[in-house]
Amino acid sequence: MNANSKTENRALASTVLELDVNNHAGVMSHVVGMFSRRAYNVEGIVCMPVGYEKNGLKSSGETSSEISRIWLLVNEDARLEQMIKQIEKLEDVLSLRRHGAEHEVFERLEEFFH
Amino acid sequence: MAANSISNQKEMFMTSKRSEILTGAQIVVRLLERQGVRLLSGIPGGAILPIYDALSQSTQIHHVLARHEQGAGFIAQGIARASGEVAVCMASSGPGATNLLTAIADAKLDSIPLVAITGQVPKSMIGTDAFQEVDTYGLTIPITKHNFLVGSAEELLEVIPHAFRLAASGRPGPVLVDIPKDVQNQSIEVSDWPAPGASDPAPAPDAVLISRAAAMINGAARPILYLGGGVVHSGASGSAVALAEKAGLPSVMTLMALGAMPVDHPLSLGMLGMHGARCTNLALDECDLLIAVGARFDDRATGKVAAFCSQAKIIHIDIDPSELDKIKTAHVGIAGDVKAVLGQLVPQVEAILRKPWLARVADLKATHPLRMPGIDDPRMPYGLIRAVADCLDDEATISTDVGQHQMWVAQAYPLRRPRQWLTSGGLGTMGFGLPAAIGAALAEPQRTVVCFTGDGSILMNVQEFATAAEEVANVKVVLMNNASLGLVFQQQTMFYGERIFASKFRGMPDFIKVAEGFGWQTLDLDNAGDPSSALRAALSLPGPVLIHASIDRHEQVLPMVAPGAANKDMIGG
């Protein structure tokens, strides 16, 4: 491995973020807006409802789950720590967990993209 | 008999919890009343008319009819900044909502608790490019703490108290509630009312970190206390002054914190940063410990960050954990309400005289004081500010617009009381001063509110002259007129080779006539033989008064740190 590819690897080092959020129409905008307004690219997004087990804002007429999970694949960047703190402040974000790039959620999705 | 009385009691209980059929609009107004809202500002329009109809029946809420929604937003800000309580503004959909945006963004940057309520087109028409439809929810995501698009009248019972709770909790800020017209008109049965939304208690701060901070303060040779707007929001001014006095800490304030410590307190070094006194920025450059309390290391305060307090260790106390390590990495970062943290910190710091350091600071103050040319001449900027201050006591509230006049007032006005000072710090919004002053004057009618402004800023919300006259608000506007955008003119002079462009006004209104046209009383200082006594007379008139004073456009705010330069490299002053 030469110095160049090491630098490249560092530049491309990525992180997987796992967020439990209230499931309603605006949540994705709140989360993704944190990144877009800083010109911080999100490489991958997956979101699915997961259940009712936690306290979220009840909204009437809603037939889907109250809680969703958002998986984000983002490049490591000096701004990431600040990003995480900002996401944790969002009212609809119930919890945030940080995983290394080795997390398989996006790897296993790859077959749908090739 | 016994059974009868029980059933009677039951009946009485049922009556007291009698359910009512109410519309969403009536529910909103009832919830605002239950929150204790007695004053709000807004402008009606098609999509919010049901709420206005319900509001017309309220005997508790006084509605202030602004003349532009941005004015309504800043009137609410004036109420919130002066009182410390959550304030409310309202607007209709579309342009009503977009006109509110600047005031909401301003509240976000200065952490002002606001609940903005907007009407929206009926749910069935959302997304159809309906008349006066705009994506208010989407537009306000980045400029609010949180926002809601309400889907049903039932949801209002949860959302409205929640909005107040969020606006007031932790680091305060604006919350927007967008309510489609059909939700306002939807009737539901209401039997139980939610508790009013109140601020959540902040999590207890880490005692170990507080002890570590105390040890650092006790061991420091040249510490400085750096107070920010959070000290005012938290009601911690007394604790901050107590800390400074006990530990012998020279203290600087951000623009937002002015008044948290009286600026003429012996330990005060006044405002730091771009237009701070030389002694203030030089003392910061020498400090070995910086204790930041409710401050966020804004670029106008720090100048070039790498050169800011470069020899100092940093203690950073803030209620918002995301502020810790955002700009400067803290050696000790304490997340918590600053009043609670200071309450625990003060008993742990040693009473120290710090003679050498205080002597050094006194030396810096003597050799590099803030120079205020013309301080004794009411026809000069500093002199006018001083002359106004001489007519008032600390009960007066001072608002400003944005520009040279704002910085001169920040430098020269003897602010001595938290919430005495209302200014747009983070967003720097020209047009803030007049409506904010109106809000403050209506919230605290016992106070005289003086708005210092410029001829550029005043025109940005000049329509609120009508609101002030209608409300007979005790607002005195001091207009420093240099027929230019003074701070732009100054920067073009200093940094753009004197290529003056688009900063000198060629067409100037007659401001005295303008104000008189709105029903204001006026004083033109330019024609006053004895400006000091004319000022005193004008400031003691009841109701709104415009005081007009021409100043030279070549007057500059000095010293000045060039944008991006280190604070120790000041120009002038």
Side-chain angles (χ1 to χ4, degrees), chain B residues 540-558:
Chain B
S540 57
L541 289 170
V545 180
L546 174 74
I547 296 159
H548 173 269
S550 295
I551 58 167
D552 188 316
R553 67 160 61 94
H554 295 94
E555 290 293 331
Q556 293 187 330
V557 184
L558 295 171

Side-chain angles (χ1 to χ4, degrees), chain B residues 417-429:
Chain B
R417 173 175 69 79
R419 303 199 177 282
Q420 184 180 13
W421 169 242
L422 319 179
T423 200
S424 169
L427 196 65
T429 311

